[in-house]
Amino acid sequence: MNKIATIKDIAKHLGISIATVSRALGNSQSIKPETREKVLLAAKELNYEPNPIALSLKANKSKTIGVIVPQIANAFFGNTIEGIEEVVWKKGYHIMICQSYESLEREIANTELLSSRRIDGLIISTSLESTSFTHLQKLIDKNIPLTMFDRIADGINGHKVVVDNYEGAYNATTHLINSGNKNIYCFTFDDFISNTHERLHGYKKALEDNGLPFLEDHVFFTNGDLEPIQQKLEALFAQKQKPDAIFMSTDNISASIIIALKKLNISVPNDVAIAGFSNNDLDQCLQPALTTVTQPCFEMGKQAASVLINTIENKEEDITYQNIVLRTTLHVRESSQRK
Amino acid sequence: MNKIATIKDIAKHLGISIATVSRALGNSQSIKPETREKVLLAAKELNYEPNPIALSLKANKSKTIGVIVPQIANAFFGNTIEGIEEVVWKKGYHIMICQSYESLEREIANTELLSSRRIDGLIISTSLESTSFTHLQKLIDKNIPLTMFDRIADGINGHKVVVDNYEGAYNATTHLINSGNKNIYCFTFDDFISNTHERLHGYKKALEDNGLPFLEDHVFFTNGDLEPIQQKLEALFAQKQKPDAIFMSTDNISASIIIALKKLNISVPNDVAIAGFSNNDLDQCLQPALTTVTQPCFEMGKQAASVLINTIENKEEDITYQNIVLRTTLHVRESSQRK
DNA sequence: TTGTAAGCGTTATCAT
DNA sequence: ATGATAACGCTTACAA
């Protein structure tokens, strides 16, 4: 059993003071080169590793950034976290990841836990249940800086990193229209969460700009669960006036729609054209007829972490919160032209 | 700006000693109930939150468990981490997640970083490059307990949580044989990594038990990248003696094979039957002809965390390392019967 | 029942 | 250039 040495051990070993050891190990000028040499050597010999916990206590900084996402196993968030990590490790920080599982209650619990763990900052994508944000406000009151990404809280002071959801939805819908579709449905989550709100807006505007009517009953609100989506599709395709196309507002919804269409034996794009937000590699590969709007998750994570760490390290200055908007990419894999 | 109070603040506020506050806040018996009341009240008023960093320094425990996996965004590891988290948070610990990206170098760097961060234990699934495990041995020498899961290092002292890879492979291969297939290929990673080693073994044994020959050239070693897999398949199906079926040894390989077959216009199960390891929901849904061996990721994570925390909290006793083997599930979605 | 003080590992402010 | 000491927040003998 190899106990990790402390500066105290080194001091004792060398018969000098701990202060001198500390200076030798740090960047201090006021240290005789030879002493430094000696200390460095002893440190290596004794297996010294600085104790970050002691440093944290001293500096009142944890060098830890909290991350709260709905679910890691979701590819979108998984990839974003990779981006966060890339930046964070490089800057000597580490991350503590929590999952809200789309529950506001757990999100609040996580926020409090992270705060009590003395994180230096928080990166969050709020849960679908989160309509009130007092837990985030509390954090800000404690002077813990914040980056929100993807799903953001408008009234809250913090960095905001999002993609241009409006544009993505607009482009996808426009693509469907240009492919000759007129009777276009929208499957989305709701009109309150920041990102789906914008996407619904993009869908509407694309219709309008192309002289197509926006019909309330063409918007179906869903959390992405397969069952209700399948039922809704079944009902829609039982009508005499069937959908030409569907704009899918989220990852989950896209996945469920693809599966449901398969189960219902509705062929894409022969029976219906589909386009929408999706970051899942597999359905890109398996569905050549699917046009997807993909988000730069990795880049998003990098930006989110980058602005946050900047703020953390320059706390003395006035904080100016960044509003970063990234572009989505429209992947057209095969014409969705109706026959 | 709401500074978080310390016990010192409370003591000053109440005009009593720090020690008394500490006792009131803890489980000490030797404290007058009224004093405790007073302290608790003041703590609430002043916004007191215990500082885990100070506690760590005192107790020489970080209440932190390190987790190293190849990649979070991979559904298998994402789900496992969810299981780990479930247990860990409940026990008052938290996790620090690192990714090796299948690189031994990064795995070593991560191990050292986590160790210097004073983790209380490590949960790891080693990278595909990891054939030497001195970095893990170093950890054990530092008395940091270890759980390995999925991909394990045989010679290393630590808990091991795996699925019955042999059985899973045996069942999948047997299923292919029972469906009337004789000329069965195996696509696998290698014969050294613990899990794929066992899977190859299961494949062989199933052939043997059914009186089929094992042919070296029927085993294709691949890291799961699409390109080489597609080329190999193209070559195989250009032969006069085409494959009847393919046993796929890993998640990635399964995904790439499905995509490649699609691109090559080889139909499943008409042209070829396939079965293998896969934990991706999507391909389960999209490929009714695919028979999959799924692993209980979530359960695996729970077990991994559970045995580790037990060891951490009972360090005084002799450590007995657990060897936990979970069962896989064979999902047969449609007969892979050859026509 | 309460207070005093040492200690966890480190840095920083004094002196020397 | 170096040493002694206080401080970070907390727990815990030891004294009172």
Side-chain angles (χ1 to χ4, degrees):
Chain A
M1 166 149 136
N2 242 323
K3 246 202 87 192
I4 298 176
T6 68
I7 50 170
K8 211 177 194 171
D9 297 323
I10 301 179
K12 204 181 302 170
H13 180 76
L14 256 39
I16 59 178
S17 79
I18 52 174
T20 306
V21 176
S22 174
R23 276 188 284 255
L25 258 20
N27 312 323
S28 173
Q29 311 309 92
S30 36
I31 180 90
K32 191 158 58 175
E34 310 149 43
T35 315
R36 168 164 279 153
E37 295 278 307
K38 256 195 300 188
V39 170
L40 256 28
L41 189 69
K44 194 150 282 178
E45 268 179 15
L46 297 179
N47 243 321
Y48 170 76
E49 293 183 49
N51 185 331
I53 297 171
L55 290 178
S56 289
L57 184 61
K58 192 89 186 79
N60 201 22
K61 294 202 165 147
S62 60
K63 284 275 180 180
T64 300
I65 289 174
V67 176
I68 303 179
V69 294
Q71 197 165 22
I72 313 175
N74 176 325
F76 174 77
F77 294 114
N79 288 320
T80 312
I81 288 173
E82 286 187 16
I84 294 174
E85 234 206 350
E86 163 113 353
V87 170
V88 152
W89 285 97
K90 228 174 249 169
K91 299 246 184 177
Y93 288 73
H94 73 272
I95 53 180
M96 250 170 81
I97 304 173
C98 301
Q99 309 183 68
S100 65
Y101 297 99
E102 305 290 11
S103 142
L104 175 57
E105 192 189 338
R106 292 193 71 149
E107 184 174 302
I108 293 174
N110 285 332
T111 311
E112 284 171 359
L113 196 88
L114 289 174
S115 148
S116 85
R117 287 277 187 174
R118 302 295 195 275
I119 48 169
D120 292 341
L122 177 69
I123 299 179
I124 190 172
S125 187
T126 52
S127 87
L128 291 177
E129 278 182 19
S130 306
T131 45
S132 142
F133 300 100
T134 46
H135 55 303
L136 297 183
Q137 189 54 53
K138 266 190 210 159
L139 221 66
I140 293 170
D141 293 344
K142 281 181 189 161
N143 218 26
I144 298 176
L146 184 68
T147 301
M148 294 163 274
F149 74 92
D150 191 39
R151 307 174 187 167
I152 62 174
D154 252 338
I156 299 294
N157 246 336
H159 301 293
K160 288 162 189 168
V161 183
V162 294
V163 298
D164 194 334
N165 290 295
Y166 167 80
E167 186 202 55
Y170 185 92
N171 289 346
T173 309
T174 302
H175 168 77
L176 290 171
I177 297 172
N178 290 342
S179 304
N181 302 293
K182 290 196 183 315
N183 190 25
I184 303 172
Y185 282 71
C186 172
F187 278 48
T188 188
F189 178 69
D190 77 4
D191 201 11
F192 301 102
I193 298 292
S194 61
N195 52 5
T196 51
H197 170 80
E198 292 166 21
R199 292 172 195 177
L200 181 55
H201 183 208
Y203 160 79
K204 281 186 193 171
K205 193 63 166 41
L207 292 180
E208 184 188 313
D209 285 358
N210 288 275
L212 293 174
F214 167 71
L215 304 170
E216 292 279 356
D217 75 340
H218 274 45
V219 178
F220 178 59
F221 293 106
T222 168
N223 65 358
D225 284 350
L226 180 59
E227 286 288 308
I229 285 182
Q230 186 168 339
Q231 283 168 17
K232 180 67 181 180
L233 287 172
E234 194 162 16
L236 288 180
F237 283 88
Q239 299 174 152
K240 47 199 167 309
Q241 175 79 330
K242 299 187 200 332
D244 290 346
I246 303 171
F247 164 66
M248 313 172 297
S249 163
T250 79
D251 238 351
N252 294 340
I253 293 175
S254 295
S256 289
I257 287 185
I258 292 168
I259 294 167
L261 289 175
K262 185 126 195 161
K263 289 195 173 182
L264 294 170
N265 247 312
I266 299 168
S267 126
V268 179
N270 289 340
D271 298 329
V272 66
I274 58 180
F277 280 77
S278 172
N279 275 279
N280 187 306
D281 287 340
L282 256 191
D283 62 35
Q284 287 177 33
C285 294
L286 293 173
Q287 295 289 333
L290 170 64
T291 289
T292 55
V293 180
T294 58
Q295 309 186 50
C297 319
F298 190 81
E299 182 60 24
M300 213 161 171
K302 280 175 61 174
Q303 297 272 355
S306 192
V307 291
L308 184 65
I309 291 181
N310 266 343
T311 304
I312 291 174
E313 302 197 330
N314 300 302
K315 261 200 181 150
E316 56 283 3
E317 304 170 27
D318 286 338
I319 302 178
T320 46
Y321 289 109
Q322 310 272 341
N323 232 318
I324 298 174
V325 180
L326 304 171
R327 305 290 300 269
T328 57
T329 316
L330 189 73
H331 289 278
V332 180
R333 280 195 202 64
E334 190 180 294
S335 165
S336 309
Q337 193 81 35
R338 309 294 323 273
K339 311 278 155 92
Chain B
M1 166 149 137
N2 241 324
K3 246 202 86 192
I4 298 176
T6 68
I7 51 169
K8 210 179 197 172
D9 296 323
I10 301 180
K12 204 181 302 169
H13 180 75
L14 255 39
I16 60 179
S17 80
I18 299 181
T20 306
V21 176
S22 173
R23 278 188 283 255
L25 257 21
N27 312 322
S28 174
Q29 311 308 95
S30 37
I31 180 90
K32 191 157 60 176
E34 309 149 45
T35 316
R36 168 165 280 154
E37 296 278 305
K38 255 195 302 188
V39 170
L40 256 30
L41 189 69
K44 193 149 285 177
E45 268 178 15
L46 297 180
N47 245 321
Y48 171 74
E49 291 183 49
N51 185 330
I53 296 171
L55 291 178
S56 288
L57 184 61
K58 190 89 186 79
N60 201 22
K61 294 201 164 146
S62 60
K63 285 278 180 178
T64 301
I65 289 174
V67 176
I68 304 180
V69 294
Q71 196 166 23
I72 313 175
N74 177 325
F76 174 77
F77 294 114
N79 288 320
T80 312
I81 288 173
E82 286 187 16
I84 293 174
E85 234 207 352
E86 163 114 353
V87 170
V88 151
W89 285 96
K90 227 175 250 170
K91 301 246 184 178
Y93 288 73
H94 74 271
I95 54 181
M96 249 170 80
I97 304 173
C98 303
Q99 309 184 72
S100 66
Y101 298 99
E102 304 291 10
S103 142
L104 175 57
E105 192 190 338
R106 291 195 70 150
E107 185 175 303
I108 293 174
N110 285 332
T111 311
E112 284 170 358
L113 197 89
L114 288 174
S115 147
S116 85
R117 285 278 187 174
R118 302 297 195 275
I119 49 169
D120 292 340
L122 177 69
I123 300 178
I124 191 171
S125 188
T126 51
S127 87
L128 292 178
E129 277 183 19
S130 305
T131 45
S132 142
F133 300 102
T134 47
H135 55 302
L136 297 184
Q137 190 54 53
K138 266 191 211 159
L139 222 64
I140 292 169
D141 293 344
K142 281 182 190 162
N143 217 27
I144 297 176
L146 185 67
T147 300
M148 293 162 275
F149 75 93
D150 191 39
R151 306 174 187 168
I152 62 176
D154 251 337
I156 298 293
N157 246 335
H159 301 294
K160 288 161 191 167
V161 183
V162 293
V163 297
D164 193 334
N165 290 295
Y166 167 81
E167 187 201 55
Y170 186 92
N171 289 345
T173 310
T174 303
H175 168 77
L176 290 172
I177 297 172
N178 289 343
S179 305
N181 303 292
K182 289 196 183 318
N183 191 25
I184 304 172
Y185 281 72
C186 172
F187 278 49
T188 188
F189 178 69
D190 76 5
D191 201 12
F192 301 101
I193 297 290
S194 62
N195 53 5
T196 51
H197 171 79
E198 292 166 21
R199 292 172 195 176
L200 181 55
H201 182 208
Y203 159 80
K204 282 185 194 171
K205 193 61 166 44
L207 292 180
E208 183 187 313
D209 286 357
N210 287 276
L212 293 174
F214 167 72
L215 304 169
E216 292 280 356
D217 75 339
H218 274 44
V219 178
F220 178 59
F221 293 105
T222 167
N223 65 358
D225 284 350
L226 180 58
E227 285 288 309
I229 285 182
Q230 185 168 340
Q231 282 167 18
K232 180 68 181 180
L233 287 173
E234 195 162 16
L236 288 180
F237 283 89
Q239 299 174 154
K240 45 199 169 309
Q241 175 78 330
K242 300 188 199 331
D244 290 346
I246 303 171
F247 164 65
M248 311 172 297
S249 163
T250 79
D251 238 352
N252 293 341
I253 294 175
S254 295
S256 288
I257 287 187
I258 292 170
I259 294 168
L261 289 175
K262 184 124 194 164
K263 289 195 171 180
L264 295 170
N265 247 312
I266 299 167
S267 127
V268 179
N270 290 340
D271 298 328
V272 66
I274 58 179
F277 281 76
S278 172
N279 275 279
N280 187 305
D281 286 341
L282 257 193
D283 63 32
Q284 286 176 34
C285 294
L286 293 175
Q287 294 291 331
L290 170 63
T291 290
T292 54
V293 181
T294 58
Q295 310 188 50
C297 322
F298 190 81
E299 182 61 23
M300 212 161 172
K302 279 175 60 173
Q303 298 272 354
S306 193
V307 292
L308 184 65
I309 291 182
N310 266 343
T311 304
I312 291 174
E313 301 197 331
N314 300 302
K315 260 199 182 154
E316 55 284 3
E317 305 169 28
D318 286 338
I319 302 178
T320 48
Y321 289 108
Q322 310 272 341
N323 231 317
I324 297 174
V325 180
L326 303 172
R327 306 290 300 272
T328 57
T329 316
L330 189 73
H331 290 278
V332 180
R333 279 194 202 66
E334 189 180 294
S335 164
S336 307
Q337 194 82 35
R338 309 295 321 276
K339 310 282 156 93

